[in-house]
Amino acid sequence: MIGLISATAAGAAARDRLAAAWPDRTRVYEGPVGDAVRAAFAQCEQLVCFLATGAVVRLVAPLLSGKAADPGVVCVDEGGRFAVSLVGGHAGGANELAAEVGELLGAEPVVTTATDAVGLPGLDTLGLPVEGDVAGVSRALLDGEAVALRAEVAWPLPPLPVAAEGAYTIRVTDRAVEPDGREVVLRPPSLVVGVGASRGAPAEEVLGLVEDALREAGLSAASVAELATVDAKAGEPGIVEAARRLGVPLVTYAAGELAGVEVPNPSGAPLAAVGTPSVAEASALLRGGELLVPKRKSAGNPAMATCAVVRRPGRGRLAVIGLGPGARDLLTPRARAELRRASVLVGLDQYVDQIRDLLRPGTRVLESGLGAEEERARTAVEEARKGQAVALIGSGDAGVYAMASPALAEASDDIDVVGVPGVTAALAAGAILGAPLGHDHVSISLSDLHTPWEVIERRVRAAAEADLVVTFYNPRSRGRDWQLPKALAILAGHREPTTPVGVVRNASRPDESARVTTLAGLDPATVDMMTVVTVGNTATREIAGRMVTPRGYRWQEGAE
Ligand code: SAH
């Protein structure tokens, strides 16, 4: 819950906008501000105060207990110009809240925690449990001192400016190690504990067994991602309670599915009871990985619980990101966030240049020139399969005549894939031309490098006959100059010579140019590979210099 506190009329107006936008997340505290702040501080995870920072500092100072426990506090000034993350930037979430509030109110977020201010991810914000000298290692990163990364488990992390050797270390491990003086230990959620239990097994017995197994194998409970068992035990109180106390979800599988997993220690007892020769080993192994602790039984007599521990491989992450047509403000916030999350960036050099300033320090950039598409796709997938967080970028939308399909054609199901849509050239051009895509439309690439010309021609003909608005991508290059006139001639067989045609070059880039001409008037020589050409349908008109395709028009009498 976010507590909202204001003192003035302007503050109350901004407060009400926030409350209206987030009705379920916010609670308004009225009354004298001192009392309101104290009440909200005690009751809410976060506060937004429409008050001077000085006033808020004085009010919250006596209430602060430590950065792990304090709520996140954001102050918005009287003019609504700034959303200042005042307290609890990381653990309290105030930095993110300041960004969200800023977005909503049109205020600039102000963040002063050092790592965020220079674009480094805070070591305590990576989403992994962290132990050790977070402040010291963060300072070393900021000061440019050598910090070594020792990843004993490959896990996708955002970029960190790390070296091969260093006085400071960031260790990524699921083993039960104590951090050294100049070390932080990040705990990847790499362990899956399979558990079985007879009816009524006490939680203490289950938990004790799991803890003993981890301790004896030298593994850290902070890396346990989940408990796994068979469906029939989904409600077994001892197992449910053990998962709750470990703070991890309980996942369950059908007995038939578990029976299909090959395990080292099958037995007759679970087969008779729940229909699978293995519960603990099979449920831990079902998603793959390495069996670190084979099935063991609890100490009770009779033993009522079994467990097994598996280390699952870190799943790499491939984000396929459309950068939009060029202008920075047509790059989506989601694309920006994904770019900052990746530790490896793969793309065409000219697209990398478009967003290089947004990358976090330490991002490994694998750029290549024109062509080499298959190789870029393969590289991106290979890096993800190594457990990296990879961003593969393309202009416009990365799924439109671009990298998404070759990459996903290479990708197996051992990596996570996320797609971030971008504004494709046809849409960017359409907005410049007017409203040419107001009715049914298609895009056709005139590049016959990968597609036989007969296929392209057949599609152009079909579009012509169906009276679709057509946007041509890859319309003309030095070596490919006859295709565009040919395609236009096919369309001219079904449309008037006066049909409007929009030509947009470098949409949303600094040297953007656009014009509306006609089928008869278009000079193909003015078109190149930086251009899209949009041909109207039989109802498209030029109105006040803009290209307009009516929505839901009726066929005029006399027309076909
Ligand atoms: N994925 C891209 C398209 C790649 S194909 C997208 O979704 O936009 C390359 C073709 O796209 C170019 O030959 C050109 O026809 C078109 N194109 C891409 N960006 C453009 C821009 N900013 N202005 C005009 N045309 C563009």
Side-chain angles (χ1 to χ4, degrees):
M1 192 51 69
I2 306 173
L4 306 181
I5 300 104
S6 63
T8 65
R15 173 199 73 187
D16 291 344
R17 280 166 66 199
L18 217 58
W22 300 336
D24 302 332
R25 288 175 69 193
T26 55
R27 183 191 303 169
V28 171
Y29 285 79
E30 311 260 18
V33 290
D35 295 340
V37 167
R38 280 184 287 274
F41 198 95
Q43 292 162 5
C44 297
E45 288 80 46
Q46 296 179 317
L47 279 68
V48 179
C49 302
F50 300 85
L51 301 167
T53 50
V56 179
V57 166
R58 279 177 228 292
L59 288 169
V60 302
L63 311 174
L64 298 174
S65 67
K67 66 179 180 181
D70 292 332
V73 180
V74 169
C75 290
V76 177
D77 66 301
E78 180 76 9
R81 289 167 305 157
F82 302 107
V84 184
S85 164
L86 190 70
V87 169
H90 287 160
N95 291 351
E96 271 166 50
L97 183 61
E100 275 189 279
V101 169
E103 180 104 344
L104 212 112
L105 300 179
E108 180 158 350
V110 180
V111 166
T112 55
T113 39
T115 45
D116 297 271
V118 300
L120 285 173
L123 290 170
D124 51 352
T125 64
L126 300 178
L128 304 184
V130 54
E131 298 160 18
D133 186 10
V134 175
V137 175
S138 297
R139 197 173 349 90
L141 284 171
L142 287 171
D143 293 348
E145 287 190 55
V147 177
L149 179 66
R150 279 171 59 197
E152 291 164 27
V153 177
W155 210 259
L157 294 173
L160 297 161
V162 288
E165 296 287 323
Y168 293 83
T169 41
I170 297 171
R171 197 166 166 191
V172 186
T173 182
D174 54 23
R175 294 194 303 126
V177 291
E178 285 295 318
D180 288 345
R182 296 173 152 195
E183 186 171 70
V184 294
V185 174
L186 294 173
R187 299 296 189 187
S190 50
L191 304 177
V192 179
V193 181
V195 287
S198 357
R199 190 184 316 246
E204 287 68 33
E205 186 164 338
V206 178
L207 203 59
L209 170 69
V210 171
E211 282 167 356
D212 287 349
L214 292 171
R215 186 172 341 97
E216 284 168 34
L219 297 168
S220 166
S223 275
V224 174
E226 56 193 36
L227 287 197
T229 189
V230 63
D231 282 346
K233 296 292 172 185
E236 183 60 46
I239 296 184
V240 172
E241 175 62 13
R244 196 189 66 76
R245 287 204 222 154
L246 285 167
V248 298
L250 175 66
V251 293
T252 66
Y253 300 102
E257 218 178 332
L258 297 181
V261 181
E262 208 167 301
V263 298
N265 302 295
S267 92
L271 185 60
V274 290
T276 164
S278 168
V279 171
E281 288 181 346
S283 61
L285 277 167
L286 195 69
R287 295 283 168 81
E290 175 194 0
L291 186 63
L292 301 179
V293 180
K295 181 176 79 177
R296 51 183 284 162
K297 292 184 180 162
S298 53
N301 191 12
M304 295 186 81
T306 56
C307 89
V309 183
V310 163
R311 178 183 286 143
R312 61 179 183 185
R315 274 175 80 81
R317 190 165 191 281
L318 176 63
V320 186
I321 306 173
L323 301 180
R328 179 53 61 86
D329 57 358
L330 291 180
L331 177 82
T332 64
R334 190 179 297 182
R336 186 186 287 254
E338 284 293 344
L339 289 170
R340 297 174 67 73
R341 184 168 173 165
S343 60
V344 180
L345 180 85
V346 182
L348 187 64
D349 43 15
Q350 71 196 64
Y351 300 150
V352 176
D353 286 340
Q354 201 174 313
I355 46 84
R356 201 182 297 273
D357 60 301
L358 293 177
L359 302 176
R360 286 204 144 118
T363 308
R364 191 148 57 88
V365 178
L366 306 174
E367 49 195 314
S368 43
L370 267 176
E373 283 209 349
E374 310 264 288
E375 191 193 313
R376 267 199 298 283
R378 203 168 316 118
T379 307
V381 170
E382 270 167 21
E383 291 291 334
R385 294 188 71 182
K386 286 184 205 156
Q388 303 278 7
V390 180
L392 177 63
I393 57 171
S395 86
D397 184 276
V400 176
Y401 307 125
M403 295 305 295
S405 19
L408 299 196
E410 294 282 331
S412 37
D413 67 0
D414 55 353
I415 60 171
D416 293 327
V417 174
V418 289
V420 182
V423 177
T424 187
L427 299 185
I432 294 163
L433 293 168
L437 308 182
H439 212 284
D440 300 335
H441 54 274
V442 283
S443 295
I444 297 180
S445 167
L446 291 183
S447 168
D448 54 0
L449 290 180
H450 301 292
T451 309
W453 175 252
E454 301 73 61
V455 173
I456 298 172
E457 191 174 310
R458 178 151 49 86
R459 291 178 184 170
V460 175
R461 202 171 296 284
E465 284 166 6
D467 199 27
L468 295 166
V469 175
V470 183
T471 302
F472 291 115
Y473 282 67
N474 300 309
R476 184 172 176 275
S477 68
R478 243 169 288 145
R480 268 189 317 102
D481 58 0
W482 56 264
Q483 288 87 343
L484 179 63
K486 179 87 215 233
L488 293 172
I490 294 171
L491 291 172
H494 296 261
R495 299 177 196 182
E496 295 294 328
T498 53
T499 302
V501 174
V503 179
V504 180
R505 185 168 191 276
N506 279 328
S508 96
R509 295 177 188 147
D511 46 353
E512 167 184 307
S513 65
R515 63 185 188 284
V516 179
T517 170
T518 60
L519 258 182
L522 175 69
D523 175 7
T526 60
V527 171
D528 65 9
M529 281 296 277
M530 262 86 84
T531 310
V532 279
V533 176
T534 299
V535 181
N537 65 15
T538 50
T540 305
R541 298 285 171 265
E542 185 181 330
I543 299 170
R546 301 184 193 102
M547 198 172 158
V548 181
T549 302
R551 271 192 84 206
Y553 53 85
R554 306 183 67 145
W555 289 100
Q556 287 144 4
E557 259 151 28
E560 63 182 87

